[in-house]
Amino acid sequence: MNQNLNYIIEQVGRDKGINKQVIIEALEDAMLKASKKRYGLQKDIEAHFNEELGEVELFQFKTVVDQVQDPDLEISLEEGKQMDSEVEIGDSLGVKLSVEDLGRIAAQTAKQVIMQRVRDAEGETTYNEYKDRKGEIVTGFVQRIERGNIYVNLGRAEAILPKREQVPREVYKRGDRLRAFILDVQRTPIGCQIYLSRTHPGFLSKLFEMEVPEISEGIVRVVSAAREPGERSKIAVYSNDADVDPVGASVGMKGSRVQGVVQ
């Protein structure tokens, strides 16, 4: 733990998109937990990150008293004055502890706490990014398939395409490009979970919106959509402009727009 941590903090923050302060707080918390294991829970210990030194410093605080009854929490006035000549009864005196004494315990505890904080922060970042994107279409790559569920890499987030939301007879393998509808975004104990669908009627409506300019511009409106995923689909369309044929616009020249949706 004696290496300069500023570089690590900057790197983790940049790679994971996490606020620097979150990582610093995780480091302080990790060192505090490690010190409690090493020195005892009863001691009044605080951890502070020293940015200039690039290290977490530990301080044990004791109250200056006339007569010491609890050596873990109290220090005599005589001893206190040896450390600070201006100290008085009732003052709280901080003594710097050696971080080196923590050794492997500190490293292991720090790693566990930091990893958990990073996961929590990543989950919160992902949730804030996707919570208002329900009903949108996203594109990703198949990362893995477990128990019929497809896990999709969206870049800085992972989503799940549950088996029940997959089109029958569609087969995917790792690395395949996949486009799907954001069905839901939830906070869970293991972080943010994004649920996708390829069977939802909204997926069909959004695909037509992407293929048909008149729909994206609001001239033509998809009133309703119905699907038998993998078999057949129907949409009801309405035009807000008497000069625009909603069916013709949706179908396109020689069915080009419908074919785009089908593909």
Side-chain angles (χ1 to χ4, degrees), residues 24-34 47 56 109 113 117:
I24 290 174
E25 288 173 5
L27 280 168
E28 292 175 340
D29 191 30
M31 290 299 289
L32 189 57
K33 281 183 168 64
V56 177
T109 306
V113 174
R117 287 289 183 89

Side-chain angles (χ1 to χ4, degrees), residues 54-148:
E55 66 180 38
V56 177
E57 298 178 313
L58 292 173
F59 295 92
Q60 181 182 357
F61 288 87
K62 294 185 178 183
T63 303
V64 179
V65 295
D66 268 326
Q67 195 169 9
V68 176
Q69 293 181 333
D70 186 347
D72 286 331
L73 299 174
E74 297 172 338
I75 188 172
S76 68
L77 181 61
E78 184 181 348
E79 279 187 275
K81 282 193 175 291
Q82 290 176 7
M83 299 167 64
D84 183 350
S85 59
E86 297 181 2
V87 77
E88 297 178 359
I89 298 292
D91 287 352
S92 183
L93 201 60
V95 181
K96 188 173 180 179
L97 300 175
S98 173
V99 177
E100 298 300 324
D101 291 345
L102 299 181
R104 194 172 61 180
I105 297 174
Q108 290 174 338
T109 306
K111 184 178 179 181
Q112 291 169 359
V113 174
I114 291 168
M115 289 295 287
Q116 186 57 50
R117 287 289 183 89
V118 167
R119 281 194 293 267
D120 292 345
E122 281 183 309
E124 192 62 24
T125 300
T126 301
Y127 179 77
N128 290 331
E129 183 179 345
Y130 284 91
K131 65 180 181 180
D132 298 322
R133 295 183 61 185
K134 292 181 190 178
E136 288 187 18
I137 286 180
V138 289
T139 301
F141 295 90
V142 175
Q143 192 157 289
R144 65 186 190 280
I145 301 171
E146 294 178 4
R147 297 178 182 177

Side-chain angles (χ1 to χ4, degrees), residues 143-195:
Q143 192 157 289
R144 65 186 190 280
I145 301 171
E146 294 178 4
R147 297 178 182 177
N149 299 319
I150 299 173
Y151 291 82
V152 183
N153 185 345
L154 300 179
R156 288 176 60 173
E158 183 183 76
I160 180 171
L161 177 62
K163 190 173 182 178
R164 65 180 181 276
E165 298 296 335
Q166 297 171 29
V167 176
R169 293 188 299 280
E170 280 190 347
V171 178
Y172 291 95
K173 61 181 184 298
R174 193 171 183 271
D176 282 351
R177 189 168 177 268
L178 185 149
R179 180 176 280 182
F181 180 83
I182 298 180
L183 189 64
D184 199 9
V185 181
Q186 297 178 1
R187 280 194 179 101
T188 71
I190 58 171
C192 174
Q193 188 64 73
I194 303 167
Y195 293 96

Side-chain angles (χ1 to χ4, degrees), residues 214-234:
E214 289 85 350
I215 294 178
S216 61
E217 292 167 9
I219 299 170
V220 173
R221 182 163 54 92
V222 178
V223 179
S224 181
R227 298 182 65 189
E228 289 179 17
E231 297 291 343
R232 72 195 80 189
S233 299
K234 287 186 178 182

